[in-house]
Amino acid sequence: MESSNDIGDIPQSQQVHVSMGFLRDLQLYNVEKPYHLTISKDRESDTVLTNIVHDLYNDVPVTNVRGSETYFELDTHGFQLARHRTSMSIEDFGSPELVQGRYFPEMAKYLEHHLGAREVRIMFYNVRRRSLGLVDEICEKERQGQGRPIPGIHIDASADGALKRIQDNWPSEVRSICEGRYQILNVWRPLGPPLRDWPLALCDVRSVNEEDKVKADLIYPGYEGENTLLYFSPHYRFYFVDGQKEDEIWIFKQFDSASGVAGGCPHGSFKSPQTTTSSISSQSIDIAALVIY
């Protein structure tokens, strides 16, 4: 972990203190790997088995990068804010056919040019529509020891998890893909009006120690993977952008095979202090992309 706090010219007044979930530091994880097992996607209850427990920390500092949007770099911090105007309407993102047939090629072409990559392959996507009341209910159930855990800060793939994604998607090309530099990146875009209720926070990877990280198994019907969870540390440096517009996209790393550069970026959404019961519920789309150099 690097101790420097080089946040450019961002004034201290742009820092807010918010609540975030982190993995509870249990002795259990010394003998049992954290896991999240989804048995069935069709049942409304008893669908998840997990030993993952999060604690909610209520005074985590997060710095608004508005005014310093171009300061952060993918290979230095693990994330960057970029601009890209999509040809898709908000309604279009409700169609899997349009997302895969139009948005995937659009973003692959953009990332190839933006990153100087030889090839980009979009692997999957998620469109999220967050109900404010539902999230509050989930947090309350976590405090009462009921229901599913609150969302925690995480990295979407460990090194083994990234390799497994390639093995699962392109089994005959594993050697050719992995013989050079490759990355798995996320691209996260808000949909609709400027986002204010649940912005995405990203952590400068240089503020994270290896001992802060814990690998966890993710098992769904037809899929087995591995991501990374984080214990709390007061040294983390989190950033967000207030009022993120639809043409402002976060690009951040799940994994990078290169040495000497930033690796997977811890991230997670948080409830903004500006959120009210009348706030428009947030919507977003994020894609995962394999980037080959």
Side-chain angles (χ1 to χ4, degrees):
M1 179 185 72
E2 296 184 13
S3 59
S4 61
N5 191 22
D6 56 335
I7 58 174
D9 297 323
I10 304 177
Q12 187 75 13
S13 60
Q14 292 189 201
Q15 189 176 93
V16 297
H17 289 77
V18 303
S19 298
M20 290 184 179
F22 294 89
L23 185 67
R24 183 175 297 175
D25 191 359
L26 297 176
Q27 291 295 320
L28 172 67
Y29 303 138
N30 293 328
V31 295
E32 184 175 279
K33 186 177 181 180
Y35 65 86
H36 182 101
L37 169 62
T38 300
I39 300 172
S40 170
K41 294 183 178 181
D42 300 322
R43 297 172 59 192
E44 292 297 323
S45 61
D46 300 324
T47 60
V48 173
L49 295 176
T50 183
N51 66 351
I52 295 172
V53 181
H54 290 100
D55 282 328
L56 194 65
Y57 288 78
N58 295 314
D59 196 30
V60 182
V62 190
T63 299
N64 178 15
V65 306
R66 185 62 74 194
S68 302
E69 294 91 339
T70 61
Y71 173 75
F72 297 90
E73 299 179 352
L74 198 61
D75 280 344
T76 301
H77 305 89
F79 63 89
Q80 65 176 185
L81 189 66
R83 283 193 174 272
H84 174 266
R85 188 174 298 277
T86 178
S87 65
M88 300 273 285
S89 69
I90 296 177
E91 292 74 22
D92 290 340
F93 286 105
S95 166
E97 292 78 15
L98 287 175
V99 172
Q100 296 176 35
R102 188 195 301 174
Y103 191 63
F104 278 21
E106 179 179 273
M107 293 310 300
K109 181 178 180 181
Y110 168 78
L111 289 171
E112 286 175 4
H113 175 75
H114 181 72
L115 301 172
R118 176 165 58 90
E119 184 181 1
V120 172
R121 304 178 186 182
I122 309 301
M123 298 189 294
F124 58 86
Y125 78 100
N126 287 295
V127 172
R128 306 182 191 278
R129 296 177 176 86
R130 188 187 300 276
S131 164
L132 297 179
L134 176 60
V135 173
D136 288 340
E137 178 184 341
I138 291 173
C139 291
E140 181 59 31
K141 285 184 177 179
E142 168 69 8
R143 284 190 288 269
Q144 297 174 3
Q146 304 170 2
R148 72 186 76 180
I150 61 174
I153 299 300
H154 63 282
I155 303 170
D156 287 357
S158 64
D160 290 340
L163 178 59
K164 192 170 190 311
R165 288 190 188 278
I166 296 172
Q167 293 170 332
D168 289 345
N169 285 280
W170 303 283
S172 64
E173 300 179 70
V174 174
R175 183 172 181 178
S176 62
I177 291 172
C178 296
E179 66 184 3
R181 183 186 183 184
Y182 69 94
Q183 302 166 324
I184 296 181
L185 304 180
N186 281 43
V187 181
W188 193 92
R189 180 195 302 273
L191 302 176
L195 180 63
R196 298 193 185 279
D197 60 345
W198 281 83
L200 187 68
L202 301 109
C203 186
D204 186 339
V205 301
R206 300 171 303 168
S207 67
V208 181
N209 284 318
E210 283 303 310
E211 55 264 32
D212 299 328
K213 304 176 185 177
V214 182
K215 295 179 181 179
D217 285 330
L218 294 177
I219 304 172
Y220 298 94
Y223 172 77
E224 295 182 14
E226 184 180 73
N227 73 349
T228 302
L229 306 177
L230 277 82
Y231 296 126
F232 174 76
S233 168
H235 303 294
Y236 295 149
R237 299 197 296 272
F238 281 99
Y239 300 90
F240 78 107
V241 61
D242 184 46
Q244 185 177 353
K245 302 176 181 66
E246 196 170 306
D247 66 346
E248 294 179 306
I249 56 175
W250 283 119
I251 304 173
F252 57 97
K253 293 185 182 182
Q254 289 189 31
F255 173 78
D256 194 327
S257 67
S259 59
V261 298
C265 175
H267 61 279
S269 293
F270 66 92
K271 186 175 182 179
S272 169
Q274 301 182 47
T275 301
T276 67
T277 55
S278 60
S279 296
I280 298 173
S281 296
S282 62
Q283 299 184 62
S284 64
I285 180 169
D286 65 278
I287 58 173
L290 171 66
V291 181
I292 306 170
Y293 292 89

